[in-house]
Amino acid sequence: MIRVLLAEDQAMVRGALAALLSREADIEVVAEVARGDTVIETALVAQPDVALLDIEMPGGGGLMAAQALRTALPSCRVVILTTFGRSGYLRRAMESGAVGFLLKDEPAKALAVALRRVMAGERVVDPDLAVASLSEGNNPLTSR
Amino acid sequence: VRGLGLDMIGVSRMGSAIRELHTARQTLARMKVEEERLRLARDLHDLLGQTLSVITLKSELARNLITEDPARCARELAEIEQVGRTTLREVRKTVAGYRQPQLSSELDSARQLLEAAGIEHSIEELHEELPQPLDAVLAWTVREGITNVIRHGRARRCLLNFVRERERISIEIFNDRQRAEDIAEQYTDRGNGLAGLQERVSNLGGSMEAGPLTLSGKQHFRLRVELPTQPTVLQEDGQ
Amino acid sequence: VRGLGLDMIGVSRMGSAIRELHTARQTLARMKVEEERLRLARDLHDLLGQTLSVITLKSELARNLITEDPARCARELAEIEQVGRTTLREVRKTVAGYRQPQLSSELDSARQLLEAAGIEHSIEELHEELPQPLDAVLAWTVREGITNVIRHGRARRCLLNFVRERERISIEIFNDRQRAEDIAEQYTDRGNGLAGLQERVSNLGGSMEAGPLTLSGKQHFRLRVELPTQPTVLQEDGQ
Ligand SMILES: Nc1ncnc2c1ncn2[C@@H]1O[C@H](COP(=O)(O)OP(=O)(O)OP(=O)(O)O)[C@@H](O)[C@H]1O
Ligand SMILES: Nc1ncnc2c1ncn2[C@@H]1O[C@H](COP(=O)(O)OP(=O)(O)OP(=O)(O)O)[C@@H](O)[C@H]1O
Ligand SMILES: [Mg+2]
Ligand SMILES: [Mg+2]
Ligand SMILES: [Mg+2]
């Protein structure tokens, strides 16, 4: 069983993702949170194998949570889930120890395959998402 | 000979200044375009990313629930529908916002239009950045006013001026009219250009006047819009 | 004194040239921004308006079919899902595509991407300024090639090299592949990334090869693009 923690602020997305992933025989969603700053306390209790973290969430967001997880629960692998690449996201995700950088709208089957690969020690990056976030990152006008 | 030499230096300096400005001009144009692209791209991201991922995920889920849990399937579908509809409305608003005219480019167009129509003109430039809603309403005034001058005025001359006061700004578009007898026939209020403008102006707490006017014995038409620059009711004005 | 006088003339000429260029610059910048805005607004509207209307209609329809015709309900849902996902992909591509890629920054991105994907790599740098159309096509090659390496290769290693000859330049992207059995399954030509690249390459009178390759008994994939540096047909290549 792959034990998953899901952090996503948008309730509709979180609900659908949890329901879809739970349908996979070898995946169990053991915890759901809606804020970045509740990831750690929840993870310490639920002891997930993988944390799926949205980036844009209240309470510090997924990137900060990823960083914190690395020291608080080093056994937990971090996968960033997002919709669009923004400036520097890929780089920051990797710096904070994430081993996956994936699309939220990926079919559940593909997401499940990615989670299995991550559990097998591979890194999984969606190339289009990554390219998009790099493109913006190289532009000097990016910062709002 | 010596003079000529110095002149030559001047010329060569001019050459390099021109080259430099040429580059600067290109860079600036590129940057502005880029900026605009990014701004829209970002708005687009925010609006769409969430909506479309919700829709995509929910439809995948609903598909798995058709026989298993038809009631929940129906709920998911109702939500998809609602999200789709709300976003559609927002896309329309966003796009309308981007089609908002800009005063500076409307003034340019006004000059070109009057030029093309063979109407002598003097169009004042406004050297001030105004808040977007104000800028937009002034731009609409120019667009509607100048269109009217060309369409109804049979004008030979057209003037466009701004008056800037401490807490208000006004714009005036004047034109003469070829024949006095046209007036009664023409100012019939039948169009909706001015009525629409009146509405936009009122939304910002401003006032508008439009009508014939006799100046030193000659018939003119004047459109005047006055707007508070610190308005009490400052609403975004869509198109 | 006399020299100074002539120099002054130069300066004053320079002044008026500067003013003129300044105006030209502003006009140009404004026009481009305006144009871009409208173009984007249109793209946005076309892309989304349609997508969202389809989604809204189909979800309403599907809801009525849950018990009546579950098979058709499933088909409608599959379509909603696909439309949503495709649109998201297009938005992502559009946004990435609005930036004319530059070889040097694509090479940087390539390194970061491969790093993130945990693929060992050696990416050569090109220390030469190339004409813009050439630079752009090489940049597209890097972007498409590296994206493919990550998506299809399940590679452990990736090499990127340039070969510079007198009148041509070529770029080669190599990767190993984890399992031999993937090849047949994967090289299906179903995408349009390589087809699009082929077109850009042909526009500059160049040639492209892409396909599997066995090197010392191991399966690899190679993408190779060769471009003339003094091409006979040198067309500006848009995005
Ligand atoms: N500059 C002008 N010179 C002379 N008559 C004018 C001028 N501007 C407006 N008018 C008169 O005022 C009327 C109302 O103008 P308005 O802009 O509201 O409508 P319109 O131009 O006829 O139609 P539209 O709805 O296309 O704008 C016009 O029909 C015309 O008779
Ligand atoms: N580096 C690679 N390693 C292995 N197979 C590859 C590689 N590059 C391309 N291929 C194969 O060639 C096919 C065509 O590639 P292409 O880039 O045209 O399409 P795609 O990547 O599948 O889709 P897209 O239109 O998004 O680029 C791929 O589907 C894949 O099977
Ligand atoms: Mg979020
Ligand atoms: Mg009118
Ligand atoms: Mg491809």
Side-chain angles (χ1 to χ4, degrees):
Chain A
M1 256 324 190
I2 305 176
R3 297 166 54 81
V4 174
L5 177 147
L6 179 59
E8 160 70 56
D9 61 327
Q10 229 199 337
M12 285 199 278
V13 169
R14 190 177 64 242
L17 262 178
L20 282 166
L21 285 174
S22 302
R23 298 179 67 85
E24 296 294 317
D26 58 341
I27 293 176
E28 188 185 355
V29 177
V30 295
E32 294 179 36
V33 302
R35 298 177 55 89
D37 53 13
T38 52
V39 168
I40 300 300
E41 55 182 86
T42 312
L44 288 176
V45 176
Q47 296 285 317
D49 302 312
V50 185
L52 288 183
L53 307 178
D54 177 26
I55 295 187
E56 288 171 16
M57 286 187 289
L63 293 171
M64 256 171 88
Q67 190 100 42
L69 261 180
R70 193 150 59 160
T71 41
L73 191 64
S75 66
C76 179
R77 294 180 162 91
V78 170
V79 170
I80 297 294
L81 273 192
T82 186
T83 314
F84 290 118
R86 280 236 207 289
S87 162
Y89 275 4
L90 177 67
R91 187 181 43 77
R92 280 160 61 206
M94 292 307 133
E95 281 167 6
S96 55
V99 293
F101 192 68
L102 298 172
L103 287 173
K104 252 183 232 178
D105 55 290
E106 199 71 1
K109 291 270 177 259
L111 213 57
V113 169
L115 289 185
R116 287 174 204 127
R117 283 176 61 186
V118 161
M119 286 313 292
E122 285 185 54
R123 283 165 166 264
V124 193
V125 167
D126 182 277
D128 289 331
L129 176 65
V131 163
S133 81
L134 287 170
S135 307
E136 249 204 314
N138 290 334
N139 195 298
L141 289 164
T142 294
S143 52
R144 234 210 265 239
Chain B
V1 172
R2 197 179 157 225
L4 193 71
L6 278 175
D7 197 15
M8 293 284 287
I9 294 171
V11 168
S12 99
R13 267 190 212 160
M14 196 155 72
S16 88
I18 288 173
R19 261 193 308 282
E20 219 169 273
L21 279 164
H22 192 70
T23 314
R25 180 179 64 175
Q26 287 184 325
T27 310
L28 190 76
R30 218 162 31 227
M31 271 169 48
K32 287 214 164 175
V33 170
E34 200 68 12
E35 211 176 299
E36 200 55 38
R37 275 174 179 161
L38 284 174
R39 192 161 73 88
L40 186 74
R42 231 170 336 235
D43 287 0
L44 192 145
H45 271 180
D46 294 343
L47 185 63
L48 291 183
Q50 290 200 329
T51 306
L52 289 176
S53 16
V54 168
I55 289 173
T56 308
L57 289 169
K58 273 189 182 292
S59 54
E60 191 178 355
L61 180 61
R63 191 148 52 97
N64 289 313
L65 295 171
I66 300 175
T67 46
E68 207 175 284
D69 187 348
R72 178 149 182 221
C73 175
R75 276 204 306 280
E76 298 295 344
L77 274 166
E79 278 180 29
I80 293 175
E81 197 184 322
Q82 216 227 306
V83 167
R85 199 158 278 146
T86 312
T87 309
L88 199 52
R89 206 170 304 134
E90 274 181 51
V91 168
R92 292 214 181 96
K93 248 200 268 168
T94 309
V95 171
Y98 278 99
R99 291 205 177 130
Q100 201 85 262
Q102 280 192 308
L103 181 56
S104 58
S105 49
E106 288 305 318
L107 290 171
D108 280 350
S109 313
R111 270 184 215 100
Q112 289 177 33
L113 269 172
L114 293 166
E115 196 74 38
I119 297 169
E120 204 183 305
H121 56 275
S122 150
I123 306 287
E124 197 183 332
E125 199 71 60
L126 190 67
H127 298 283
E128 183 185 347
E129 284 265 338
L130 293 168
Q132 201 276 327
L134 272 181
D135 186 278
V137 170
L138 291 174
W140 281 111
T141 307
V142 173
R143 189 183 282 185
E144 184 56 34
I146 298 296
T147 308
N148 280 346
V149 168
I150 291 169
R151 183 186 294 150
H152 310 292
R154 308 198 66 177
R156 269 192 290 241
R157 272 183 62 72
C158 173
L159 295 180
L160 185 155
N161 295 305
F162 294 96
V163 178
R164 184 69 172 96
E165 281 161 279
R166 232 164 69 86
E167 290 187 327
R168 71 185 104 218
I169 184 160
S170 48
I171 180 173
E172 214 162 40
I173 303 177
F174 254 114
N175 61 282
D176 61 349
R177 319 177 79 196
Q178 226 159 317
R179 294 167 312 194
E181 66 267 34
D182 282 355
I183 301 173
E185 172 217 319
Q186 284 191 351
Y187 191 51
T188 49
D189 254 323
R190 69 187 134 75
N192 39 41
L194 291 179
L197 186 60
Q198 171 76 67
E199 209 174 293
R200 292 174 199 279
V201 169
S202 304
N203 280 346
L204 295 193
S207 63
M208 181 186 117
E209 285 168 65
L213 193 81
T214 310
L215 275 182
S216 46
K218 285 201 207 128
Q219 291 301 334
H220 287 75
F221 193 95
R222 185 182 65 159
L223 168 64
R224 187 168 183 282
V225 163
E226 183 173 311
L227 298 165
T229 48
Q230 309 289 327
T232 33
V233 206
L234 189 64
Q235 294 181 358
E236 272 279 334
D237 182 76
Q239 74 149 320
Chain C
V1 173
R2 200 180 154 219
L4 193 72
L6 279 173
D7 196 14
M8 293 283 287
I9 292 170
V11 167
S12 100
R13 270 190 209 158
M14 197 153 74
S16 88
I18 289 173
R19 264 192 307 281
E20 216 169 278
L21 279 164
H22 191 71
T23 313
R25 179 180 65 178
Q26 287 184 325
T27 309
L28 190 77
R30 217 151 43 213
M31 273 167 43
K32 288 215 165 178
V33 171
E34 199 67 15
E35 218 173 279
E36 199 54 37
R37 234 199 216 134
L38 284 172
R39 193 163 73 85
L40 279 171
R42 250 193 320 267
D43 285 1
L44 170 70
H45 195 261
D46 293 352
L47 180 66
L48 294 181
Q50 240 194 353
T51 304
L52 290 172
S53 326
V54 168
I55 288 173
T56 311
L57 288 173
K58 277 190 181 295
S59 55
E60 197 180 345
L61 177 62
R63 194 144 51 99
N64 291 318
L65 294 170
I66 300 175
T67 45
E68 208 173 284
D69 188 348
R72 178 146 181 229
C73 175
R75 275 203 307 280
E76 297 296 341
L77 277 166
E79 278 179 34
I80 294 176
E81 194 184 326
Q82 217 223 308
V83 167
R85 195 166 283 138
T86 310
T87 307
L88 277 173
R89 196 165 302 142
E90 265 178 63
V91 172
R92 272 190 291 270
K93 278 209 179 140
T94 308
V95 171
Y98 273 127
R99 187 186 54 119
Q100 181 79 258
Q102 281 189 312
L103 181 57
S104 58
S105 51
E106 288 306 315
L107 290 171
D108 281 349
S109 301
R111 274 186 212 97
Q112 288 183 52
L113 262 173
L114 292 166
E115 197 74 37
I119 296 168
E120 203 184 303
H121 56 275
S122 149
I123 306 287
E124 196 185 330
E125 199 69 62
L126 189 69
H127 298 284
E128 182 186 347
E129 284 265 336
L130 293 167
Q132 200 275 326
L134 272 180
D135 186 278
V137 170
L138 291 174
W140 280 111
T141 307
V142 173
R143 189 184 284 183
E144 184 56 36
I146 298 295
T147 306
N148 278 347
V149 168
I150 291 170
R151 183 180 295 144
H152 308 294
R154 301 202 68 177
R156 271 191 290 242
R157 272 183 63 71
C158 173
L159 295 180
L160 185 154
N161 295 305
F162 293 98
V163 178
R164 185 67 172 99
E165 282 160 277
R166 232 165 69 83
E167 290 187 326
R168 71 185 104 218
I169 184 160
S170 50
I171 180 173
E172 214 164 36
I173 303 177
F174 254 115
N175 61 282
D176 63 347
R177 319 177 80 196
Q178 225 160 317
R179 292 166 314 190
E181 65 266 34
D182 282 355
I183 300 174
E185 172 216 319
Q186 285 191 354
Y187 190 51
T188 50
D189 254 323
R190 68 188 135 71
N192 39 40
L194 291 178
L197 185 60
Q198 171 75 68
E199 211 175 289
R200 293 175 201 277
V201 169
S202 304
N203 280 344
L204 294 192
S207 63
M208 181 185 118
E209 286 168 66
L213 193 82
T214 309
L215 275 182
S216 46
K218 285 202 208 127
Q219 291 300 334
H220 287 74
F221 193 94
R222 184 182 64 159
L223 169 65
R224 187 167 183 283
V225 163
E226 183 174 310
L227 299 165
T229 48
Q230 309 289 325
T232 33
V233 207
L234 188 64
Q235 294 182 358
E236 270 280 333
D237 182 79
Q239 66 150 338

